[in-house]
Amino acid sequence: MSEAEGAGRARAAVARLSEAVGERRRRLGTAMGEARRQRRLLLLVVCVALLLDNMLYMVIVPIIPDYIAAMRGGGSAAGPSAPAGGNESGSGGGNRSLLPARYPPAAGGNEDVQIGVLFASKAILQLLVNPLSGTLIDRVGYEVPLLAGLAVMFLSTSTFAFAENYATLFAARSLQGLGSAFADTAGIALIADRYAEEPARSRALGTALACISFGSLAAPPFGGVLYEFAGKRVPFLVLACVCLLDGLLLLALAPPCATGARANMPVGTPIHRLMIDPYIAVVAGALATCNIPLAFLEPTIANWMKDSMGASEWEVGLTWLPAFFPHVLGVYVTVRLAAAYPHLQWFYGALGMAIIGASSCLVPACRNFGQVIIPLCGICFGIALVDTALLPTLAFLVDVRHVSVYGSVYAIADISYSVAYALGPIVAGQIVHTMGFAQLNLGMGLANVLYAPVLLFLKNVCQMKPSHSERNILLEEGPKGLYDTIKMEECKGMGKSLRPAGEMEENSMDSYRRDLTGVSEEDSSDYEYS
């Protein structure tokens, strides 16, 4: 009987253990599903933040020339007397002469220079703040800076809606730059961190780029229509409400009091060390150069279209809208090509810069509204190729050459964009004033064509291997907590399709990147940039 009782107890113990293991696996599967849903929701939050930022920046394009004319003419221009900082002018009806008396008179009659300064004010502050925001993001994590950026953007948008003097409007546009320095950088870095595997990372970043494109290209008609028919405040109140809802969703997904995720993050590489990395410098230079045509054309093409082809306000506003579709097409094509031929990322970027250069040279030859759409579509298609190919490359370079924390590296990317949008509008206005619109476009086209071969320097990036093997660290210590266990299980599930059998995804777990410096060089893993 004692042997039978012992066997019965053993069977009962095995049954209980099996039940416990099964329950644990069910809980783990549920948690993994929740983690995937959470990162999709975080991607939605980031995409909405990028959409709002770019809509607020570009909403002024179709009406800013009228505002400058009203400012110079003491309020007698046909267009609304909007503040120079944005689409904050009066409605198409009774508010047209609301603000002009409070603005300084135009200096020298050079409208292009004035428009350039007003466009650049947001990017200049963003350029100054980005080095600090990148370092802060690396220290405190991604969610809190993203929330702070959304809060500042909400304040900026509300200020736009109710501002009635030049100083307030200029402050609102500069405040937007402060919010963008945190929201844009933290958002892109959060995507790179949560989507650590390829090709999911490229798809997620491509989705974010599509939202940026939609915000930039749909904002002019959006602002123009509401500006004309609903009043100066309505576009900004709509954007402010969406920004508030986005911030509340982020609060629900990642409360600031939740510090567990930050505890598992390693210490990031300082931004000054990333800046002197030659590969990162080449990527940053390409991002700045490819965005110069768009940054230079935004403040100058409206006046050129009116002078050269007699374009109406509706045509000026709708000029950029068709370019959204080739931009999305470029993102889609690049993501698919990168998944099939990952070693050609540099080529996609170089091809995009060549397309941008050729399209820029064609703009001055256009003689009507239909013709000018074609080169603008080419410019946006090329920008999509460059951005979609090179933004994931920045994360990969950090993974294999530095520490897998992405705040500083994407602050460098944001600095590249800010250089184009801060200096570009001012320089473009001066060039148009002194040399002409055609010379401006030829110079931009030549710059992109000449920079394209520089991307050959990135040809062998996909063959780089990380300095140390994460697998050895995994052998020394197991996962700490449910989050790390989930990440390990996710990587085990995806590892068969992404890497040779038996290897873990290089970027699988944040908590095991902290001690990489203690592992020998001989144990390098065969990381594959898929």
Side-chain angles (χ1 to χ4, degrees):
M1 290 294 296
S2 60
E3 292 181 359
E5 290 177 357
R9 291 173 182 173
R11 283 193 295 271
V14 170
R16 287 194 299 269
L17 179 61
S18 177
E19 182 179 354
V21 170
E23 178 64 23
R24 176 66 175 176
R25 291 180 64 85
R26 285 192 294 272
R27 288 178 55 197
L28 184 59
T30 302
M32 288 176 64
E34 292 175 354
R36 293 190 184 98
R37 284 194 296 269
Q38 186 191 49
R39 76 173 187 175
R40 284 196 293 266
L41 289 174
L42 287 173
L43 176 61
L44 174 64
V45 169
V46 173
C47 289
V48 172
L50 297 174
L51 174 73
L52 290 170
D53 182 42
N54 286 272
M55 287 194 72
L56 184 58
Y57 179 76
M58 288 293 295
V59 78
I60 67 173
V61 169
I63 56 94
I64 192 65
D66 270 356
Y67 169 71
I68 294 294
M71 185 178 68
R72 294 178 61 192
S76 59
S81 53
N87 182 15
E88 306 80 7
S89 54
S91 69
N95 293 338
R96 292 180 183 273
S97 60
L98 183 63
L99 304 177
R102 303 190 183 184
Y103 284 77
N110 186 0
E111 292 184 9
D112 287 311
V113 174
Q114 296 173 45
I115 294 172
V117 172
L118 294 170
F119 266 87
S121 59
K122 178 251 187 187
I124 288 174
L125 188 63
Q126 190 170 347
L127 175 64
L128 296 175
V129 175
N130 263 316
L132 302 177
S133 66
T135 302
L136 180 64
I137 291 167
D138 283 348
R139 291 180 178 274
V140 305
Y142 309 113
E143 292 86 353
V144 173
L146 176 57
L147 183 62
L150 286 172
V152 175
M153 287 170 57
F154 173 78
L155 179 61
S156 169
T157 310
S158 302
T159 305
F160 271 127
F162 296 100
E164 294 187 1
N165 61 71
Y166 183 81
T168 305
L169 292 163
F170 191 87
R173 180 154 291 274
S174 301
L175 193 63
Q176 184 197 353
L178 176 63
S180 300
F182 286 94
D184 294 1
T185 304
I188 296 296
L190 179 61
I191 292 176
D193 181 74
R194 292 303 176 96
Y195 291 85
E197 70 283 352
E198 289 288 353
R201 176 183 281 172
S202 291
R203 287 197 299 267
L205 290 174
T207 303
L209 290 173
C211 291
I212 292 175
S213 171
F214 182 77
S216 298
L217 302 176
F222 166 83
V225 170
L226 291 182
Y227 164 83
E228 185 71 22
F229 297 109
K232 70 164 188 174
R233 294 177 178 174
V234 174
F236 301 101
L237 292 177
V238 171
L239 295 179
C241 290
V242 177
C243 186
L244 179 62
L245 293 176
D246 196 42
L248 293 176
L249 178 58
L250 177 61
L251 269 177
L253 292 173
C257 57
T259 59
R262 177 66 194 112
N264 285 334
M265 287 181 63
V267 177
T269 305
I271 191 170
H272 66 273
R273 288 183 55 192
L274 296 177
M275 284 181 172
I276 61 176
D277 185 307
Y279 296 97
I280 294 176
V282 168
V283 173
L287 294 176
T289 304
C290 77
N291 279 275
I292 283 177
L294 191 60
F296 279 44
L297 286 174
E298 282 168 0
T300 58
I301 195 170
N303 281 342
W304 174 78
M305 289 179 66
K306 289 183 177 182
D307 294 340
S308 64
M309 61 185 70
S312 65
E313 294 297 328
W314 285 90
E315 288 177 326
V316 171
L318 292 176
T319 299
W320 293 100
L321 184 59
F324 166 73
F325 300 101
H327 188 281
V328 173
L329 176 63
V331 170
Y332 175 78
V333 169
T334 309
V335 169
R336 296 298 298 268
L337 289 175
Y341 309 101
H343 58 287
L344 294 178
Q345 294 275 47
W346 65 273
F347 176 74
Y348 310 143
L351 178 62
M353 299 195 76
I355 295 174
I356 294 169
S359 300
S360 298
C361 294
L362 292 176
V363 172
C366 300
R367 292 294 176 264
N368 56 57
F369 173 73
Q371 291 178 359
V372 79
I373 290 177
I374 298 174
L376 294 183
C377 289
I379 289 174
C380 290
F381 181 79
I383 290 175
L385 293 182
V386 178
D387 288 349
T388 311
L390 297 187
L391 282 179
T393 301
L394 282 176
F396 176 74
L397 288 170
V398 169
D399 288 337
V400 299
R401 292 174 60 84
H402 303 282
V403 181
S404 296
V405 179
Y406 309 101
S408 291
V409 75
Y410 283 113
I412 294 174
D414 207 26
I415 288 172
S416 302
Y417 296 130
S418 298
V419 167
Y421 284 93
L423 300 180
I426 301 175
V427 175
Q430 189 62 38
I431 293 176
V432 169
H433 183 60
T434 58
M435 300 178 61
F437 187 79
Q439 286 75 10
L440 168 67
N441 281 270
L442 291 175
M444 295 187 301
L446 183 63
N448 275 272
V449 171
L450 292 179
Y451 198 93
V454 179
L455 294 181
L456 278 168
F457 187 68
L458 304 175
K459 184 176 181 179
N460 296 322
V461 161
C462 63
Q463 300 175 7
M464 292 182 180
K465 299 178 182 180
S467 300
H468 307 288
S469 174
E470 192 172 274
R471 178 176 54 183
N472 289 346
I473 300 175
L474 296 177
L475 292 174
E476 292 176 3
E477 55 175 324
K480 298 178 180 178
L482 183 59
Y483 177 76
D484 291 342
T485 305
I486 293 171
K487 296 292 287 184
M488 176 184 285
E489 292 295 328
E490 286 180 339
C491 293
K492 285 180 179 178
M494 293 180 292
K496 295 180 180 179
S497 61
L498 296 176
R499 309 174 53 121
E503 291 195 46
M504 303 295 283
E505 180 67 36
E506 182 62 29
N507 302 315
S508 58
M509 293 189 302
D510 292 337
S511 62
Y512 303 121
R513 297 182 184 126
R514 291 171 293 178
D515 303 322
L516 288 179
T517 54
V519 187
S520 63
E521 284 285 341
E522 291 77 21
D523 295 328
S524 295
S525 62
D526 296 328
Y527 188 97
E528 186 173 342
Y529 187 33
S530 60

